[in-house]
Amino acid sequence: MTYMKKTALFISITIVFVLMATFCISATVVSQSHISEQAQDEYRKAEEKEYVTALRSYLAQQGYHNSGVTLTSVTDTDGSQTYTATIHHAAIDRLTEKERQDLIIRLETLESTIRNHIYHEFLIINQ
């Protein structure tokens, strides 16, 4: 009878150790994937910041110094993102609609590290 108790105890302890090892391994994997997601978020934010800086620089070269630029993103359920760059400058308010469209076309050709499409729009306050 003691042999059966020792065998049962050995099997129980072995099962506990296997479960503990499985838990530790899965916790490590979850932790590493969280760090990876966090690193991707930081990289994406750096790309967005770089694009806004480049956009402001381009606008300044075109004569629109100190333009207000806001970059917003919308994330779809499949994980894809769409960006909208909203630009405000008093001189852009005074442009004709055709001139604004020409400027949007030029903005679309800007180099970008952001892989997703960026829509450009103007915030017109004074008409």
Side-chain angles (χ1 to χ4, degrees), residues 60-111:
Q61 291 171 2
Q62 299 300 310
Y64 306 111
H65 300 281
N66 298 323
S67 295
V69 177
T70 305
L71 185 67
T72 57
S73 67
V74 175
T75 305
D76 292 332
T77 54
D78 64 355
S80 64
Q81 287 187 310
T82 304
Y83 289 93
T84 302
T86 305
I87 302 163
H88 176 261
H89 193 276
I92 295 175
D93 287 359
R94 293 187 294 270
L95 295 176
T96 66
E97 189 60 35
K98 169 106 173 73
E99 292 170 324
R100 285 188 206 124
Q101 290 303 319
D102 290 342
L103 182 56
I104 285 179
I105 290 170
R106 290 194 313 262
L107 293 175
E108 298 285 333
T109 62
L110 280 178
E111 285 290 320

Side-chain angles (χ1 to χ4, degrees), residues 11-84:
I11 291 173
S12 299
I13 290 173
T14 303
I15 290 173
V16 168
F17 281 135
V18 167
L19 290 174
M20 283 178 29
T22 303
F23 174 75
C24 290
I25 291 170
S26 65
T28 301
V29 168
V30 168
S31 173
Q32 287 177 348
S33 68
H34 176 69
I35 291 170
S36 176
E37 289 174 16
Q38 191 176 27
Q40 287 176 351
D41 287 343
E42 289 175 11
Y43 179 73
R44 188 177 64 249
K45 286 178 185 178
E47 282 182 332
E48 293 168 0
K49 200 177 243 188
E50 183 179 321
Y51 179 74
V52 169
T53 302
L55 181 58
R56 283 189 176 130
S57 174
Y58 178 79
L59 289 168
Q61 291 171 2
Q62 299 300 310
Y64 306 111
H65 300 281
N66 298 323
S67 295
V69 177
T70 305
L71 185 67
T72 57
S73 67
V74 175
T75 305
D76 292 332
T77 54
D78 64 355
S80 64
Q81 287 187 310
T82 304
Y83 289 93
T84 302

